[in-house]
Amino acid sequence: MPRFCDVSLPVPLDQAFTYSLPLTLQHRVQAGARVMVPFGTRKLTGVVLAVHDTRPEIAVKDALRLVDPEPVLDDELIALGRWISGYYCSPLGEVLRSMLPLASEIRAGKVYSLTDAGRDASRQLSIGAAEDDAFHKVMAMLAMRPLAAASIIRKVPLADKVLKSLERKGWIAVEHTQRERDPLRAPSAKLRIALSGAQSEGRFPKAERELLAYLSLHPGSHNLSEVEEQVHNASTAARSLARKKLVELAEEPMPLATMPPRAPHELNPAQRRAFDLIEAGIGSGKFCTFLIHGVTGSGKTEIYLNAIDAALAQGRSALLLVPEIALTPAMAGQFYARFGDRVAILHSAFTDAERAQQWRRIRAGGASVVVGTRSGVFAPVRNLGLIVVDEEHDGSYKQEENPRYNGRDVAIVRAQKANACVVLGSATPSLESRFNASQGKYTLLELPDRVAGRPMPKVHVIDMREEFLATRKHATFSRAMVEAIDGRLTNNEQVIVLLNRRGFSSHVACRSCGARVECVNCAVTLTYHRRDRRLLCHYCGYAEKVPSVCAKCGSEHVHFLGIGSERVEDELHDAFPTARIARLDRDTVTGKRQFEDILQNFRERNYDMLVGTQMIAKGHDIPNVTLVGIVSADVGLGMPDFRAAERTFQLLTQVAGRAGRGELPGEVYLQTLNPEHYAVQLAAQQDYHAFFEKELQFRRFMKYPPFSAMANILVRSPKQEDALRMSTELDHHLTPAPAEMKIMGPAEAPVPRLKAEFRYQLLIKSASRRELNALLKRAQEFARTRKWNATALVIDVDPLTLL
Ligand code: ADP
Ligand code: ZN
Ligand code: ZN
């Protein structure tokens, strides 16, 4: 019987930790299972990598308990985790944790208690009259017994600050705990109840007897809140019976999106050609990658659906990944309509508990089609045959926190390990993927036309400099755009208006001295949000009131400059007073299901116009939209980032592609100050191929990806001189770089200060991926030997943004 286990823990140390197994656990713990273990003052949950009998040289502690009865990760997923950990230079424990959507089942918390010093102090305090401030309240509460942070904060506003200061004084000690969430605490409406099948013996209170009687008369499972209407006190009785294991309480499965089932479209010849090749690929049982490059409205979804059918027909399962914002219940509904309850959806709009539940269902083999966002790539399906990555160019596939993986690339690695097929699809493939296809690494499947002979939208480019010369006015909308919108509204057709910047005014500046109002934590200007009447930092969330006078020179000439989506909405209301207008951006979509509400209402024509940021550009298929207005094509162009042109081209092409998807043809009005910029021009002509060639030339010349492997090393510190010194030392340690590798920097990051930390970066381009990886490992080793703070070094492999 193995007496030890090696556990990977979610801590920023790239090593496994060995624990001894108490007798009760020895026969139950296997690789891939989660165990709870002591770690310093904390209790942590980690994944068992191996069980063995090799006694470690140092004394080890006992593992505390097994978290799940069965392993949560199989060998295939652990191997994938190891690959991610190596490739993205991220500790395995953190990788494995982010592969599991089960964190919600365990509640992390802090428990505070008085130290001896604190106890002395508290006695002194209680001699004086009990004062009524936060400090005294907190001390009085803790004098009674140790308390969870949450319950202190609930009772005492501002307790946060008090706790911090008490900790500094050494009066209180904190213990980090993890507790499993009790399903019995969920509200009745979210629970299903059924008899457990166990024999009931002995006497029970009346309510419990009644409930048992009701359940035996009405077999099957019921929503607990519905039972409450029939049986007095059912809720309390149910929970008590559940503890006695006489009934089972389980969380209610999420509501299914309702969509009328629709007969599959007959594939047109281009779709058929693409599908036939994919079907053959799946049939071969070998790893292969396809890139579907199909213009907006060419019917890519129909190919995905057929490909999934083909995988299922082979007895294999399928994963479909979609961008964060595109996974709407409406889209999920399409899949339910087609595949019924074989589908599991891993949707960010679901609660953590709902996601955990879906995950367990997939793990148990209860779903063979999984639709999910980025982390859906880790869905524990069995016998994987196909992974589809829709809108493969989308930035939301890249996780911008540790581990900084790209879901699309992980999909390819996972498929390779599983001998499965990958289908990447986009109207605007990333340069990398399209380049791989042109090199023959991927099979290219092109759909150059929209379905049913529908035309591509006609794009009108409006030079806003000329507009100004002609009108002498700085208007948000050109005369041509206003006229076009007016025409569509008269025809009862719908309009989408894009401005990819939220807020009302993008910044506030003083006319006398030129000072701009900046965030206190970040080196960026604050954005004015009129509805909230405050200035907001889009990076850290810091907010302040609008100053009435300039903080620098005292002048009253404080002005709002630049325009955001909130103001666009406002001006549209002025220009079209009777139009029904909705806005979709991160400010209007605060609740999780609001996004779909707005979109659904727009789809049902309860709105005439939809205004928003890039959120409105992604994937939506709304047939009655015949006009797309782009207020400014220039928003992303000035970014200090080699991908700025690519991103602009993609966004403009995608939003233009929202027009004319139904029976009626579409038009686009694109306003710009840079009509000669190639990204703007070629997006207007919807000429992907010309853009690809031109951008590829630039990348080749500059040795940017796909002509090099790239990584960004960021060094952060609250003190500027520390950040500068550390990054310089690191640079010295890493140079001279191997041949065919270039280290640029250290330089201030494009956002030099973020969330109160100063940031310097080293940007690395390397001809060899292996050497790049070795260099990054050396950087990590350096940080470790120098005992840098765990968060000081950030390594981003294949970075998408360099902010
Ligand atoms: P894409 O994802 O390529 O932009 P979609 O898959 O959303 O395009 O398809 C666009 C529209 O065309 C959808 O409304 C879809 O139902 C319809 N469609 C797809 N394939 C066909 C077909 N073979 N015949 C007719 N309509 C189709
Ligand atoms: Zn001023
Ligand atoms: Zn900020």
Side-chain angles (χ1 to χ4, degrees):
M1 209 55 84
R3 287 172 300 152
F4 301 96
C5 63
D6 296 340
V7 183
S8 180
L9 292 172
V11 292
L13 293 168
D14 202 6
Q15 63 176 96
F17 299 87
T18 302
Y19 290 88
S20 45
L21 290 169
L23 265 177
T24 50
L25 287 185
Q26 284 185 5
H27 56 288
R28 289 165 59 209
V29 172
Q30 311 165 41
R34 288 191 304 169
V35 287
M36 189 178 283
V37 295
F39 190 80
T41 57
R42 296 186 281 173
K43 291 171 187 159
L44 291 179
T45 300
V47 174
V48 175
L49 297 177
V51 290
H52 57 83
D53 245 337
T54 324
R55 176 174 292 282
E57 281 161 19
I58 47 165
V60 293
K61 290 185 187 163
D62 264 358
L64 300 172
R65 60 187 191 79
L66 191 59
V67 176
D68 325 88
E70 307 233 331
V72 288
L73 289 172
D74 59 16
D75 293 348
E76 186 193 318
L77 284 172
I78 290 182
L80 187 65
R82 285 189 194 276
W83 179 85
I84 292 170
S85 165
Y87 184 93
Y88 292 103
C89 301
S90 194
L92 181 60
E94 291 187 351
V95 173
L96 295 181
R97 178 180 55 181
S98 66
M99 290 173 76
L100 295 166
L102 303 174
S104 71
E105 293 177 353
I106 295 171
R107 261 204 300 203
K110 290 181 187 171
V111 172
Y112 289 99
S113 55
L114 289 184
T115 59
D116 288 345
R119 230 161 256 299
D120 289 346
S122 119
R123 267 179 230 120
Q124 304 283 324
L125 285 174
S126 58
I127 295 170
E131 275 171 74
D132 212 24
D133 63 5
F135 175 81
H136 285 82
K137 273 192 196 151
V138 171
M139 285 297 281
M141 284 169 78
L142 287 175
M144 311 285 284
R145 62 191 157 95
L147 281 172
S151 51
I152 302 175
I153 290 165
R154 211 176 316 124
K155 295 210 184 93
V156 185
L158 301 179
D160 242 357
K161 276 200 186 125
V162 175
L163 289 169
K164 275 208 191 93
S165 92
L166 289 176
E167 215 181 322
R168 267 198 306 270
K169 285 190 165 116
W171 288 5
I172 59 175
V174 57
E175 189 191 353
H176 294 261
T177 58
Q178 285 195 343
R179 212 161 6 118
E180 249 166 290
R181 199 166 273 191
D182 185 355
L184 299 187
R185 287 179 153 190
S188 299
K190 289 206 149 194
L191 289 174
R192 290 199 82 75
I193 182 168
L195 284 176
S196 70
Q199 286 294 326
S200 47
E201 282 166 24
R203 287 188 53 80
F204 301 113
K206 181 156 170 272
E208 291 177 29
R209 280 199 315 267
E210 279 178 10
L211 180 58
L212 287 171
Y214 178 86
L215 291 172
S216 21
L217 271 175
H218 302 83
S221 81
H222 307 268
N223 180 283
L224 183 54
S225 63
E226 281 161 23
V227 177
E228 271 169 25
E229 289 166 18
Q230 312 293 328
V231 183
H232 191 60
N233 272 337
S235 170
T236 329
R239 286 159 224 267
S240 157
L241 287 171
R243 268 180 225 111
K244 297 173 192 159
K245 307 249 186 278
L246 290 171
V247 301
E248 272 166 10
L249 285 180
E251 275 186 76
E252 189 74 61
M254 59 171 179
L256 295 188
T258 46
M259 267 295 252
R262 154 177 84 63
H265 288 290
E266 184 85 34
L267 295 184
N268 65 31
Q271 288 172 318
R272 160 83 30 211
R273 262 195 308 278
F275 170 66
D276 284 346
L277 285 168
I278 295 170
E279 188 183 31
I282 296 169
S284 77
K286 291 201 195 92
F287 165 65
C288 47
T289 306
F290 298 93
L291 173 63
I292 304 183
H293 178 193
V295 297
T296 54
S298 58
K300 294 184 285 293
T301 313
E302 205 63 37
I303 304 178
Y304 306 153
L305 292 167
N306 280 279
I308 293 170
D309 261 337
L312 294 179
Q314 300 267 330
R316 304 180 74 179
S317 55
L319 280 180
L320 174 88
L321 305 184
V322 295
E324 206 73 66
I325 219 70
L327 181 47
T328 57
M331 158 142 204
Q334 270 195 51
F335 283 83
Y336 280 120
R338 180 86 165 238
F339 301 107
D341 54 11
R342 283 178 293 178
V343 178
I345 309 277
L346 296 171
H347 192 313
S348 56
F350 297 149
T351 62
D352 290 351
E354 283 170 323
R355 261 181 303 172
Q357 183 195 353
Q358 289 292 311
W359 193 92
R360 288 193 182 282
R361 196 180 128 222
I362 299 164
R363 172 97 184 113
S368 43
V369 180
V370 176
V371 183
T373 50
R374 176 177 64 230
S375 62
V377 73
F378 304 123
V381 292
R382 291 157 188 216
N383 199 8
L384 181 66
L386 171 72
I387 307 183
V388 178
V389 185
D390 189 22
E391 312 287 0
E392 64 85 28
H393 65 278
D394 196 274
S396 74
Y397 287 122
K398 173 86 176 172
Q399 175 147 301
E400 296 294 355
E401 60 186 67
N402 250 339
R404 295 174 176 257
Y405 68 92
N406 187 317
R408 172 198 64 209
D409 299 332
V410 172
I412 292 173
V413 174
R414 181 164 183 198
Q416 191 169 19
K417 292 182 192 293
N419 287 321
C421 280
V422 182
V423 174
L424 309 177
S426 176
T428 52
S430 62
L431 265 272
E432 282 88 342
S433 294
R434 189 60 180 70
F435 181 72
N436 280 336
S438 70
Q439 299 295 102
K441 268 173 110 177
Y442 305 163
T443 306
L444 182 64
L445 308 169
E446 287 186 287
L447 305 174
D449 303 306
R450 286 188 160 181
V451 295
R454 287 172 200 154
M456 295 301 287
K458 181 168 170 29
V459 183
H460 309 268
V461 176
I462 298 159
D463 185 339
M464 291 304 274
R465 297 168 307 187
E466 283 177 9
E467 182 76 11
F468 176 72
L469 289 179
T471 62
R472 291 281 150 196
K473 272 198 296 228
H474 281 292
T476 303
F477 307 109
S478 57
R479 292 158 300 166
M481 175 125 53
V482 171
E483 197 177 316
I485 294 175
D486 206 37
R488 302 297 158 152
L489 295 178
T490 315
N491 288 349
N492 278 323
E493 292 164 24
Q494 288 172 291
V495 178
I496 282 179
V497 178
L498 171 87
L499 180 66
N500 196 22
R501 185 162 51 208
R502 35 188 206 115
F504 193 81
S505 304
S506 57
H507 51 271
V508 179
C510 167
R511 279 239 172 126
S512 300
C513 75
R516 293 178 167 206
V517 183
E518 289 201 352
C519 176
V520 296
N521 304 316
C522 315
V524 296
T525 53
L526 296 177
T527 303
Y528 175 49
H529 288 247
R530 198 171 72 170
R531 195 176 58 180
D532 314 336
R533 289 210 203 83
R534 52 185 196 157
L535 301 172
L536 196 68
C537 173
H538 284 183
Y539 290 87
C540 74
Y542 167 80
E544 66 178 44
K545 285 212 199 98
V546 181
S548 52
V549 295
C550 171
K552 215 172 189 179
C553 74
S555 151
E556 286 171 8
H557 296 283
V558 178
H559 277 257
F560 298 97
L561 300 166
I563 174 167
S565 53
E566 189 182 358
R567 178 145 160 219
V568 170
E569 182 195 358
D570 216 57
E571 295 200 4
L572 282 173
H573 275 299
D574 289 346
F576 306 99
T578 58
R580 298 161 304 165
I581 304 172
R583 174 158 61 94
L584 205 56
D585 56 33
R586 270 205 282 143
D587 300 314
T588 58
V589 181
T590 45
K592 281 182 172 175
R593 304 197 191 209
Q594 266 166 345
F595 175 75
E596 175 62 12
D597 273 355
I598 295 174
L599 211 55
Q600 188 62 26
N601 271 305
F602 185 56
R603 198 177 288 119
E604 288 168 3
R605 300 166 78 156
N606 299 327
Y607 294 118
D608 306 305
M609 257 193 267
L610 186 64
V611 183
T613 56
Q614 52 167 342
M615 271 192 183
I616 60 177
K618 293 188 182 178
H620 316 302
D621 185 31
I622 299 170
N624 194 44
V625 172
T626 55
L627 179 72
V628 166
I630 298 168
V631 178
S632 166
D634 313 322
V635 172
L637 276 181
M639 293 280 187
D641 188 334
F642 75 95
R643 289 186 206 271
E646 183 183 11
R647 258 201 297 275
T648 299
F649 177 83
Q650 286 165 343
L651 176 63
L652 298 180
T653 311
Q654 291 286 348
V655 73
R658 299 311 111 209
R661 296 171 68 86
E663 306 284 321
L664 301 166
E667 270 187 304
V668 179
Y669 282 77
L670 182 160
Q671 302 183 157
T672 177
L673 295 169
N674 298 287
E676 58 293 310
H677 193 289
Y678 67 103
V680 175
Q681 242 173 36
L682 295 171
Q685 293 161 20
Q686 303 186 61
D687 189 344
Y688 178 89
H689 292 279
F691 177 79
F692 176 73
E693 289 305 330
K694 180 139 185 108
E695 185 67 12
L696 206 64
Q697 244 178 18
F698 158 73
R699 302 275 180 98
R700 185 181 285 123
F701 181 72
M702 297 295 293
K703 292 207 169 56
Y704 278 129
F707 298 99
S708 66
M710 201 161 146
N712 190 14
I713 300 181
L714 199 63
V715 178
R716 307 187 288 194
S717 169
K719 287 209 191 112
Q720 183 165 22
E721 60 267 29
D722 287 348
L724 179 58
R725 177 182 46 76
M726 288 153 72
S727 58
T728 310
E729 285 170 6
L730 179 60
D731 182 44
H732 285 313
H733 179 70
L734 298 178
T735 31
E740 300 292 300
M741 194 187 288
K742 193 158 188 263
I743 303 180
M744 294 167 287
E748 266 190 349
V751 180
R753 188 162 169 257
L754 189 67
K755 301 184 182 168
E757 284 186 313
F758 290 89
R759 313 154 84 235
Y760 284 81
Q761 69 185 19
L762 296 166
L763 208 53
I764 302 155
K765 294 189 279 196
S766 169
S768 151
R769 184 152 300 270
R770 185 139 38 87
E771 292 206 18
L772 174 67
N773 189 263
L775 183 98
L776 296 175
K777 299 265 153 85
R778 275 175 56 208
Q780 285 183 311
E781 190 51 45
F782 181 75
R784 217 173 356 252
T785 51
R786 291 299 177 97
K787 300 212 166 10
W788 284 10
N789 190 319
T791 57
L793 181 74
V794 178
I795 291 182
D796 191 358
V797 178
D798 304 335
L800 273 197
T801 59
L802 301 176
L803 290 176

